[in-house]
Amino acid sequence: MPLLLLLSVLLFSPTDIDWTKAQSEATQLLQELIRIDTTNPPGNELAAAHHIQKVLDAEGIETRILDVAPGRANLYARIKGDGSKRPLILLSH
């Protein structure tokens, strides 16, 4: 899952990261996500949102699922800053 890899880059210095482990984890998480059938129609993003939510919750990242229709959902996740830097949004479609 490139999101976790990107968050690692943003939150830690490059020397603090075990890149081999990060690559392996990203690959595994991406494979898990791809296995979830979100084919449109009907979409069923809710299953993928729950999967990502579980991963982020395990890392202590605040999450919320916003239901937009049966089986259709968006996942909102937030890492609070201290206000010293500009906010960043990562958006996927």
Side-chain angles (χ1 to χ4, degrees):
M1 177 174 294
L3 172 62
L4 292 180
L5 194 56
L6 177 59
L7 289 175
S8 295
V9 170
L10 295 172
L11 299 174
F12 304 102
S13 74
T15 57
D16 293 337
I17 299 171
D18 177 345
W19 289 103
T20 302
K21 183 178 177 184
Q23 180 181 10
S24 176
E25 180 181 327
T27 301
Q28 177 185 345
L29 292 171
L30 182 58
Q31 288 172 342
E32 291 170 0
L33 187 59
I34 289 170
R35 287 185 186 110
I36 300 170
D37 184 7
T38 59
T39 305
N40 198 14
N44 195 28
E45 297 92 353
L46 184 58
H50 280 300
H51 180 73
I52 296 169
Q53 182 180 44
K54 184 177 174 181
V55 172
L56 295 175
D57 284 348
E59 297 296 326
I61 298 172
E62 172 189 343
T63 62
R64 264 190 296 164
I65 291 182
L66 309 169
D67 292 312
V68 295
R72 310 295 305 260
N74 295 305
L75 175 69
Y76 167 90
R78 181 176 185 192
I79 301 173
K80 294 181 182 179
D82 62 10
S84 65
K85 296 185 180 180
R86 293 180 54 128
L88 170 69
I89 186 170
L90 302 175
L91 184 65
S92 177
H93 176 44

